[in-house]
């Protein structure tokens, strides 16, 4: 999202009022400018830090990234405290995430929405914020997924009109300086005008090509997923659906679908596909059971080259701990301590599959 002088969000005053002392309009405006500054530079590291601040997790944000976030607010208002204002920074972090998710044209917005849902892990984590981040994230995922699947109207970017070339400056130069030097300068001005017009035309063509390419990718994605559900066979586990143990299915089927996903945040039909594959909403499964169930070699392949977070990818982080410690439950206390998630946390198999799918996307699309 590009930095801009953007009008204050209609809910920001309410959000910030939970920590603001009195009705200081200038202070509120300064904080809003700080939010815009943070959001404008929000890469994956910033999103991860904002998540940890918003959820107030045991895993603290990277010190250098935290400093950069604080500095953005300090630059917007020199009175902003660089320490001792944990609650204020928590609310501001939640505000940054909420604003970031509203931009439907940015990859970071989709990634932030996915990460908020995976961090919550089906109610395992909650936050004390004036906005419902989880509800906002789910809505953003649906909106972005639907937008990705809207057939592009190429007529909006393609025109049959002959491009207009503005040579007025060139003509004025010749009238002003009627000599060969004037003609040379006029040609330079004409070349600049021509270049600007052609650049604008090329940009429109690129826009139309990108729109068409994305839509083709989406169609290929949906076709592959339909073949997957029709064939009833897991590529990841090299086995028919009914041959994959029930405790293994949420992670394996989710990984299958993630491999076929073309654009974040994936199709809105993921939950329906997982349900069709056999995952049940009424059947709960413990996270520990799901992580201990798959084959060790499959999990090792899954972890190869991944950068894991105990906050945004708690399920993958559990697999990593299990592989480090070995089969059994010896890994569980350490995982629970680092993530702050109850060791006995259970989820419906369908929800577990959807969340693991989202974690896979966060890792595959880094």
């Amino acid at each position: 999202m590009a930095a801009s002088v953007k009008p204050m969000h209609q809910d920001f005053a309410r959000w910030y009022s939970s920590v603001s002392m009195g009705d200081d309009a200038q202070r509120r405006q300064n904080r809003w400018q700080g939010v815009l500054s943070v959001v404008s530079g929000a890469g994956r590291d910033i999103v991860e830090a904002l998540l940890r601040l918003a959820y107030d997790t045991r895993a603290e944000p990277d010190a250098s990234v935290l400093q950069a976030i604080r500095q953005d607010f300090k630059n917007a208002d020199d009175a902003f405290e660089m320490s001792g204002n944990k609650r204020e920074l928590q609310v501001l972090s939640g505000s940054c995430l909420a604003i970031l998710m509203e931009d439907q044209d940015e990859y970071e917005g989709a990634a932030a929405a996915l990460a908020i849902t995976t961090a919550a892990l089906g109610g395992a984590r909650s936050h004390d914020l004036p906005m419902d981040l989880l509800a906002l994230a789910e809505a953003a995922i649906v909106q972005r997924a639907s937008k990705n699947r809207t057939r592009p109207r190429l007529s909006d970017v393609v025109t049959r009109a002959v491009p207009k070339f503005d040579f007025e400056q060139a003509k004025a130069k010749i009238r002003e300086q009627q000599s060969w030097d004037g003609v040379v300068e006029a040609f330079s001005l004409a070349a600049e005008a021509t270049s600007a017009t052609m650049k604008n035309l090329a940009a429109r063509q690129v826009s139309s090509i990108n729109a068409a390419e994305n839509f083709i990718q989406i169609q290929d994605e949906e076709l592959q997923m339909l073949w997957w559900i029709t064939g009833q066979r897991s590529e990841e586990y090299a086995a028919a659906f009914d041959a994959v143990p029930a405790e293994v299915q949420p992670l394996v089927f989710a990984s299958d679908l993630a491999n076929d996903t073309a654009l974040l945040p994936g199709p809105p039909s993921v939950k329906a596909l997982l349900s069709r594959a056999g995952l049940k909403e009424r059947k709960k499964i413990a996270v520990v059971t799901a992580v201990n169930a798959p084959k060790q070699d499959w999990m090792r392949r899954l972890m190869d080259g991944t950068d894991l977070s105990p906050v945004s990818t708690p399920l993958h982080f559990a697999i990593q701990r299990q592989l480090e410690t070995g089969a059994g439950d010896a890994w569980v206390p350490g995982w629970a301590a680092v993530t702050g998630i109850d060791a006995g946390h259970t989820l419906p198999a369908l929800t577990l599959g959807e969340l693991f799918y989202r974690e896979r996307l966060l890792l595959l699309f880094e």
Side-chain angles (χ1 to χ4, degrees):
M1 179 184 291
S4 60
V5 181
K6 186 175 180 179
M8 185 179 293
H9 189 279
Q10 60 183 358
D11 292 323
F12 181 71
R14 177 176 59 82
W15 296 341
Y16 189 63
S17 66
S18 64
V19 293
S20 180
M21 300 297 291
D23 186 22
D24 189 335
Q26 186 57 55
R27 181 183 185 187
R28 186 165 56 245
Q29 182 62 38
N30 291 342
R31 293 296 183 273
W32 171 246
Q33 292 303 318
V35 166
L36 293 181
S37 181
V38 172
V39 169
S40 70
R44 184 62 60 87
D45 57 342
I46 294 290
V47 170
E48 178 70 25
L50 292 173
L51 271 175
R52 298 186 181 203
L53 292 168
Y55 276 100
D56 191 21
T57 60
R58 292 181 184 176
E60 296 184 352
D62 180 89
S64 62
V65 179
L66 175 59
Q67 179 69 14
I69 291 172
R70 285 187 172 279
Q71 190 61 52
D72 278 338
F73 286 106
K74 185 73 170 178
N75 291 341
D77 184 355
D78 193 56
F80 181 80
E81 299 291 342
M82 294 296 281
S83 62
N85 56 346
K86 181 179 179 180
R87 174 59 181 165
E88 180 184 23
L89 193 58
Q90 181 187 19
V91 172
L92 290 173
S93 296
S95 301
C96 289
L97 290 170
I99 300 304
L100 182 60
M101 288 189 291
E102 286 194 354
D103 195 325
Q104 292 299 306
D105 294 322
E106 290 291 337
Y107 160 84
E108 288 80 8
L114 291 173
I116 286 168
T117 66
T118 56
L121 195 62
R125 289 193 184 101
S126 59
H127 58 67
D128 179 21
L129 290 171
M131 74 287 292
D132 189 340
L133 276 183
L134 187 56
L136 292 174
E138 293 289 356
I141 289 171
V142 171
Q143 291 169 7
R144 178 65 178 261
S146 298
K147 182 178 180 180
N148 284 347
R149 280 151 183 78
T150 301
R151 185 183 295 274
R153 288 170 50 88
L154 299 185
S155 59
D156 292 342
V157 290
V158 176
T159 177
R160 294 182 180 180
V162 177
K164 295 182 179 180
F165 296 88
D166 184 3
F167 294 145
E168 291 304 315
Q169 286 187 323
K171 289 189 290 185
K173 173 56 67 176
I174 290 177
R175 294 192 189 100
E176 173 190 326
Q177 188 176 353
Q178 297 183 14
S179 65
W180 285 115
D181 289 338
V183 171
V184 170
E185 289 189 40
F187 269 113
S188 296
L189 292 171
E192 291 177 6
T194 302
S195 176
T197 300
M198 296 304 294
K199 184 177 180 180
N200 180 265
L201 181 62
R204 293 172 66 88
Q205 291 176 330
V206 169
S207 177
S208 63
I209 291 170
N210 287 342
E213 182 181 16
N214 284 345
F215 191 68
I216 291 170
Q217 283 185 303
I218 291 294
Q219 289 186 314
D220 288 344
E221 169 191 280
E222 292 176 346
L223 179 61
Q224 292 302 316
M225 290 183 177
L226 285 173
W227 277 118
W228 177 78
I229 202 67
T230 301
Q232 297 281 293
R233 185 174 180 82
S234 167
E235 294 294 330
E236 282 282 304
Y237 234 59
F241 284 175
D242 57 8
V244 179
E247 294 80 6
V248 178
Q249 288 180 359
L251 305 191
V252 169
F253 292 172
S255 188
D256 277 329
L257 288 177
N259 290 340
D260 287 333
T261 301
L263 295 174
L264 290 185
S269 58
V270 163
K271 201 165 188 176
L273 289 168
L274 290 171
S275 177
R276 185 71 174 173
L279 301 190
K280 305 299 182 185
E281 194 160 22
R282 63 180 178 273
K283 180 181 179 181
K284 286 196 171 185
I285 182 172
V287 170
V288 172
T289 301
V291 170
N292 277 332
K295 299 173 184 176
Q296 294 281 302
D297 60 341
W298 177 75
M299 291 195 295
R300 288 193 183 92
R301 291 199 306 272
L302 207 64
M303 295 295 101
D304 186 35
T306 54
D307 185 16
L308 304 176
S309 160
V311 177
S312 58
T313 55
L315 296 174
H316 283 79
F317 188 70
I319 292 174
Q320 184 183 60
R321 282 304 181 94
Q322 198 260 31
L323 291 173
E324 290 172 350
T325 307
D329 295 338
W331 61 273
V332 178
W335 172 79
V338 174
T339 61
I341 295 172
D342 186 88
H345 186 59
T346 63
L347 291 167
L350 185 56
T351 301
L352 180 61
E354 183 179 38
L355 291 173
F356 194 71
Y357 168 79
R358 291 175 176 180
E359 283 194 16
R360 291 300 299 155
L361 294 188
L362 288 173
L363 296 172
L364 291 172
F365 285 83
E366 280 188 319

